Amino acid sequence: MSTRTATDAASGLPYGLLAVLWLVGWTLRVPILTAPPLATDIARTFGLGEAGVGALTMLPVVAVAFGAIPAAWIITKFGLRAAIVGGLLLSIAASVSRGQVPSAALLFAISVVMGLGIAICQTALPSATRAWTPSHIALASTVYLNGMMVGELSAAGLTRPIVLPLAGSDWQLALVLWAIPLLAVVGAVLFARPSSHDESSAQETPSPSASIPRLGDLRVWQYGILLGSSVVAFFVVNAYSGSVLQARGEQAALSGLLFAYNSMPLVASLCLLATPNLIGKRTPVAISSIASVVGLAGFLFFDGWASWISALIVGYAATVETILLVSLPPSIARGTAVTRLSAGMTLIGFSLAFVIPVFGGWIADLAGTVELALYPALGFMVLALFSLGQQAKYPAYE
């Protein structure tokens, strides 16, 4: 069976491979985002408090950050297809196992394992876009990132109203049901047939150590800080909007705002699907970075409709910036350098995305003022603007 059809060859677009990349992107967000809708059930089963519930979502994110370096080694050692299949199977098995472990400690441990599986796939995808779709790198990047956005909405929006009733209100069984379509994606990756030239380009460097990020490289920090800024912008509004609106007496607007806000990634990814030529250019990154800063400042300093609209600006602009930056490695690097740059950016960006909001929450708790939780994020985002660089197009990375 081959995912390259006669239609693909005639049109020049590898539709089958683009579909596989989209499905893998979708799969990477479903295991993480099934936890929040099931949080009350999981907390009741394991006796978790608020901090424990938050850790269920954040631990896989931290694992994605710190798993980027071993993921880069694994990808170069075993190849793209094996790494993606292995990472998917690991994340799926760990996701299902969350409902089978006997203690909270094991629940957290298996959540970290799940994050490591996701890290392998997430680090491999930029290289896969260059190796499997070499003539459509920018389009393939936006396609798999669109899959991630749809995965977020699928897990957050379908788990409680559809999957949990199908499981008879058993959250452990709900995790098993989610594994069925995820396993189908593994099959799609196994049946995908990139050309032999594309496959070999993924492994042109024989030494796995060549894929380890160079953390002394200023460009890795430049792009990693920008990525961290975009992820921080999106996460901090999601994390603290409920407390901010409650403090303002606007809690009635919370559900509507969160739905609209978490729809912005899908809108942004669809817009970039129509304009993949923006990838690799500095100006769109700069515009989205500045818009995120303005939006977060508006959410912080305004109230009512002005604040809510500002939040939506953050959701849209931060997603655009994230997609442009995650798509950057395959557009400016080749071979193992793609994996090396992607892994370094992921390590730096996602680590900052965890530390800065937590630091803001700590300050807010000390001062007793919830708005202070947003100040470290806003300050960091302003400082990150100095990492944009001067060139109109980001130069090639070796």
Side-chain angles (χ1 to χ4, degrees), residues 17-30 84-85 88 121-122 124-125 128 132 144 147-148 182 185-186 188-189:
L17 291 171
L18 290 174
V20 170
L21 290 170
W22 188 94
L23 287 169
V24 174
W26 177 81
T27 305
L28 297 190
R29 287 300 174 262
V30 170
I84 291 174
V85 169
L88 290 176
C121 297
Q122 188 162 308
L125 278 175
W132 295 357
Y144 86 72
M148 284 189 184
L182 302 184
V185 175
V186 175
V189 176

Side-chain angles (χ1 to χ4, degrees), residues 168-225:
S169 297
D170 183 337
W171 69 268
Q172 289 101 331
L173 181 57
L175 294 177
V176 175
L177 293 180
W178 264 123
I180 296 172
L182 302 184
L183 286 171
V185 175
V186 175
V189 176
L190 288 171
F191 281 115
R193 290 292 179 267
S195 70
S196 58
H197 171 76
D198 296 343
E199 284 282 22
S200 64
S201 68
Q203 303 180 52
E204 59 189 43
T205 302
S207 173
S209 62
S211 64
I212 302 301
R214 300 168 181 166
L215 295 182
D217 187 339
L218 292 179
R219 290 181 65 188
V220 173
W221 283 93
Q222 176 190 358
Y223 304 146
I225 287 171

Side-chain angles (χ1 to χ4, degrees), residues 28-372:
L28 297 190
R29 287 300 174 262
V30 170
I32 295 176
L33 272 299
T34 51
L38 299 174
T40 55
D41 306 275
I42 297 173
R44 189 181 308 114
T45 300
F46 290 99
L48 301 179
E50 289 299 322
V53 170
L56 284 178
T57 300
M58 288 310 303
L59 279 175
V61 174
V62 175
V64 168
F66 288 95
I69 290 179
W73 186 90
I74 289 169
I75 291 161
T76 307
K77 177 71 174 177
F78 298 102
L80 282 172
R81 189 197 302 273
I84 291 174
V85 169
L88 290 176
L89 289 174
L90 181 61
S91 63
I92 293 167
S95 177
V96 172
S97 297
R98 288 179 297 176
Q100 314 303 319
V101 294
S103 68
L106 286 175
L107 173 67
F108 296 140
I110 206 69
S111 296
V112 171
V113 173
M114 183 182 75
L116 292 175
I118 293 169
I120 294 171
C121 297
Q122 188 162 308
T123 307
L125 278 175
S127 294
T129 62
R130 175 171 280 281
W132 295 357
T133 57
S135 301
H136 302 87
I137 295 169
L139 176 62
S141 297
T142 55
V143 163
Y144 86 72
L145 287 161
N146 175 263
M148 284 189 184
M149 304 303 111
V150 176
E152 291 179 0
L153 284 179
S154 299
L158 301 180
T159 297
R160 196 140 202 107
I162 296 178
V163 178
L164 191 59
L166 286 175
S169 297
D170 183 337
W171 69 268
Q172 289 101 331
L173 181 57
L175 294 177
V176 175
L177 293 180
W178 264 123
I180 296 172
L182 302 184
L183 286 171
V185 175
V186 175
V189 176
L190 288 171
F191 281 115
R193 290 292 179 267
S195 70
S196 58
H197 171 76
D198 296 343
E199 284 282 22
S200 64
S201 68
Q203 303 180 52
E204 59 189 43
T205 302
S207 173
S209 62
S211 64
I212 302 301
R214 300 168 181 166
L215 295 182
D217 187 339
L218 292 179
R219 290 181 65 188
V220 173
W221 283 93
Q222 176 190 358
Y223 304 146
I225 287 171
L226 288 172
L227 178 61
S229 174
S230 66
V231 177
V232 163
F234 188 83
F235 175 76
V236 77
V237 174
N238 248 336
Y240 295 114
S241 57
S243 300
V244 169
L245 263 61
Q246 185 175 7
R248 294 174 180 170
E250 299 171 356
Q251 57 265 39
L254 179 60
S255 59
L257 175 62
L258 285 178
F259 177 80
Y261 183 79
N262 287 289
S263 298
M264 288 297 102
L266 179 57
V267 176
S269 66
L270 289 173
C271 290
L272 283 176
L273 275 174
T275 55
N277 58 307
L278 296 180
I279 294 173
K281 298 178 180 177
R282 174 182 176 270
T283 299
V285 176
I287 292 172
S288 55
S289 299
I290 294 169
S292 296
V293 170
V294 172
L296 185 59
F299 179 66
L300 180 57
F301 298 120
F302 297 148
D303 55 23
W305 282 102
S307 175
W308 308 339
I309 292 173
S310 296
L312 298 185
I313 292 173
V314 177
Y316 181 86
T319 301
V320 169
E321 185 181 3
T322 299
I323 292 175
L324 291 173
L325 290 166
V326 171
S327 304
L328 189 58
S331 69
I332 65 173
R334 297 180 64 84
T336 307
V338 179
T339 302
R340 185 170 66 244
L341 178 57
S342 178
M345 290 173 60
T346 300
L347 172 61
I348 294 167
F350 279 79
S351 297
L352 290 169
F354 172 72
V355 170
I356 291 172
V358 170
F359 177 64
W362 177 71
I363 292 176
D365 284 341
L366 285 179
T369 305
V370 68
E371 284 87 354
L372 288 177

